[in-house]
Amino acid sequence: MSSRTEKFDVIVIGGGIMGSATAYQTAQRDRKTLVLEQFGLVHRRGSSHGESRTIQATHPNDYYSDMILESSKLWRKAESEAGYKVRTRKHHLHMGPATDARLQAVIASCRENYLRSNQKKETKNPFAFKELNPREVADKFSGRLSIPENWIAVLTKFGGVIEPTKAVLMFRELAVQMGAVWKDNMEVKHIEKRYKGRGGIVVRTAKGEEFRGKKCVVTAGAWTKKLVYSVNGQELPIQPMETAVWYWRIKEGHEEKYAIGGDFPTFTSYGRPYIYGNSSLEFPGLIKIVEHGGWQCDPDKRPWMSGGDPDPLKEWIEGRFSGLLDCSTHARKESCMYSMTPDGDFVLDFLGGEFRKDVVIGGGFSGHGFKMAPAIGRILADLALYGSADGVELKPFRIGRFDENPKGNMKEFEEDDIDGRAESFIANFRRQNFG
């Protein structure tokens, strides 16, 4: 059959983790699905490669909690169908200055979600947590990690690590088994609305191929902004950013203390610098510790690691890891892509305009979307197939929020918006933990 006459129920543009999870969802509902990926099957040009992404259930923005829990169930389901695991479950440690508003929001979310789960009488509460003072952190991790006296920490049971490349391939394999068609090296240049016949859309590639579909889902990662602009001239505020991923050597004789098979948690450190990391997994004797953020770039003209300052990380590591890591220099440095929105929240919405509900956009995952990919795939599939998605409040993810406020969603936990709460928070915490 000629490519000009091929017709699909859903065309997914972008075969990274979000596109793969979406194709898995549409294919399992017996919808003829096509995925167009501009690069090869496994590549390092975007945001869905590598060996580790951190999992955590508690988020400063509480509207992500249900999405994270749904994703956990869907990860298990996909792993069962594939016959292998892509996740390692761990505890997750949130830590930082007691005055940090984001950390306060995390603690408030822990308490609220724990109570809510108890009200549902869940026998295994996924939001179980424990607040720790500096002395308790040192005791809990046997001196492997320490925090300053004016810091606090929260240990949650729901954390861990995902293997990204393996996860993408898992969803791709499952989708193909259920009938999805995958085409690599297909750079999409334009999407058009069909007005004749039964309607739908036409997708055109840089090579001149043409594909027809009833619906289209755009999950193009760092290229989403460019593609949407070429389609309707709309400037989505999704900024591609290159970020440096750093690995540090564990000093000889201490490697097992931080190994993935032990009890050392994944972690997030709030304040400045804003840091995340996980146990030693990808490279023997190395631990991943990264500063959240990066520098703006054109995804087609990346500097490929021309930036990144390890000094803030070195200072942070020196103060936290009791001299058990060699922070004199990094052992390895890699590059990855963020697609940042002004408010750090996703875009899950219809493109609108002449396309109405025929084109769905999933983008702006801002460095924290990977763990939620299964639920995001379900939501994007629902939007494309049914015009709505149950089980999630989509208002925070509308494109139109940037018309109302260029900064997007207002955050109660902005660093400049503590409003005197810090002092009372510290006082209450010290009374509870130090007497």
Side-chain angles (χ1 to χ4, degrees):
M1 182 181 292
S2 169
S3 64
R4 291 185 175 276
T5 61
E6 284 188 81
K7 298 178 182 179
F8 296 88
D9 294 314
V10 181
I11 298 177
V12 179
I13 300 174
I17 188 61
M18 302 305 176
S20 300
T22 302
Y24 164 76
Q25 286 285 333
T26 56
Q28 73 176 351
R29 303 179 205 186
D30 296 322
R31 305 303 176 97
K32 190 176 181 183
T33 301
L34 169 67
V35 179
L36 299 175
E37 165 56 48
Q38 68 170 324
F39 302 119
L41 173 59
V42 178
H43 66 86
R44 303 179 67 83
R45 297 282 298 273
S47 306
S48 296
H49 61 84
E51 301 302 323
S52 68
R53 294 290 187 277
T54 302
I55 306 170
Q56 60 187 60
T58 303
H59 195 282
N61 300 304
D62 203 41
Y63 42 81
Y64 284 108
S65 297
D66 288 341
M67 201 182 298
I68 293 170
L69 285 184
E70 180 185 357
S71 289
S72 179
K73 297 175 183 177
L74 293 176
W75 280 118
R76 287 198 301 271
K77 179 177 182 294
E79 287 173 325
S80 176
E81 293 170 0
Y84 55 84
K85 300 286 187 181
V86 300
R87 302 175 305 154
T88 301
R89 296 290 296 272
K90 305 281 289 182
H91 285 83
H92 188 86
L93 185 74
H94 302 267
M95 55 184 158
T99 56
D100 187 84
R102 285 185 178 87
L103 182 54
Q104 292 181 35
V106 166
I107 293 171
S109 179
C110 283
R111 292 169 177 166
E112 175 63 28
N113 284 308
Y114 183 78
L115 291 174
R116 187 173 62 182
S117 294
N118 280 345
Q119 290 168 357
K120 293 180 180 179
K121 298 182 179 179
E122 297 183 9
T123 54
K124 294 183 179 180
N125 194 321
F127 291 104
F129 71 99
K130 184 176 183 180
E131 299 177 35
L132 302 173
N133 62 44
R135 183 179 62 247
E136 289 168 329
V137 169
D139 291 343
K140 176 68 178 177
F141 300 109
S142 305
R144 290 169 291 172
L145 183 71
S146 62
I147 61 176
E149 284 301 313
N150 62 340
W151 280 35
I152 55 176
V154 180
L155 185 66
T156 62
K157 66 178 293 185
F158 192 111
V161 180
I162 302 171
E163 299 173 65
T165 300
K166 191 176 178 182
V168 174
L169 291 175
M170 177 184 73
F171 280 120
R172 180 190 183 277
E173 290 171 1
L174 292 173
V176 169
Q177 288 171 14
M178 292 182 284
V181 177
W182 223 273
K183 292 183 179 291
D184 293 347
N185 299 304
M186 290 282 183
E187 181 185 2
V188 172
K189 283 295 188 180
H190 202 58
I191 307 169
E192 296 178 6
K193 175 73 175 176
R194 292 182 66 207
Y195 292 101
K196 297 181 180 180
R198 296 183 179 180
I201 54 94
V202 177
V203 174
R204 292 191 171 88
T205 73
K207 296 179 179 179
E209 295 94 340
E210 181 180 287
F211 302 95
R212 298 180 182 181
K214 295 178 182 177
K215 303 288 182 178
C216 178
V217 179
V218 177
T219 53
W223 288 265
T224 299
K225 181 178 181 178
K226 283 189 172 185
L227 180 57
V228 169
Y229 184 78
S230 74
V231 170
N232 68 355
Q234 183 177 3
E235 286 271 11
L236 282 184
I238 298 177
Q239 176 61 53
M241 299 182 72
E242 187 171 39
T243 185
V245 180
W246 307 88
Y247 293 85
W248 308 84
R249 190 170 303 281
I250 305 166
K251 290 185 177 179
E252 189 173 355
H254 301 286
E255 293 87 351
E256 288 302 313
K257 296 178 180 179
Y258 299 101
I260 190 68
D263 64 346
F264 194 74
T266 53
F267 57 87
T268 305
S269 179
Y270 297 88
R272 296 181 182 178
Y274 185 3
I275 288 172
Y276 64 91
N278 49 254
S279 308
S280 178
L281 170 65
E282 300 102 306
F283 308 105
L286 303 187
I287 187 169
K288 177 179 176 180
I289 303 176
V290 182
E291 184 174 1
H292 181 66
W295 51 97
Q296 296 183 7
C297 71
D298 180 333
D300 293 310
K301 301 175 182 178
R302 286 169 65 176
W304 291 101
M305 308 308 300
S306 63
D309 180 9
D311 287 345
L313 279 169
K314 290 179 182 179
E315 184 178 348
W316 185 91
I317 292 169
E318 200 168 6
R320 303 287 84 75
F321 280 84
S322 307
L324 300 181
L325 302 188
D326 180 1
C327 56
S328 61
T329 184
H330 62 278
R332 185 180 177 90
K333 181 182 179 185
E334 296 184 348
S335 173
C336 194
M337 294 287 291
Y338 277 3
S339 299
M340 292 293 300
T341 59
D343 54 15
D345 288 326
F346 310 156
V347 172
L348 306 172
D349 202 358
F350 302 104
L351 183 56
E354 66 171 339
F355 294 98
R356 297 186 180 180
K357 293 187 175 183
D358 286 347
V359 177
V360 179
I361 304 295
F365 295 106
S366 301
H368 66 105
F370 201 103
K371 59 182 169 289
M372 292 176 257
I376 291 167
R378 191 273 300 173
I379 292 165
L380 294 175
D382 283 357
L383 292 175
L385 298 177
Y386 314 129
S388 63
D390 295 330
V392 63
E393 172 55 61
L394 290 177
K395 184 178 179 180
F397 310 116
R398 295 177 303 116
I399 294 174
R401 71 185 190 265
F402 300 110
D403 296 329
E404 299 160 6
N405 181 351
K407 294 183 179 180
N409 296 318
M410 298 298 293
K411 308 289 187 179
E412 294 182 1
F413 54 85
E414 290 294 337
E415 290 182 347
D416 296 330
D417 186 31
I418 296 179
D419 293 332
R421 287 173 292 170
E423 287 79 8
S424 61
F425 185 88
I426 296 171
N428 288 335
F429 185 86
R430 285 177 173 166
R431 273 198 302 272
Q432 294 170 10
N433 294 281
F434 293 95

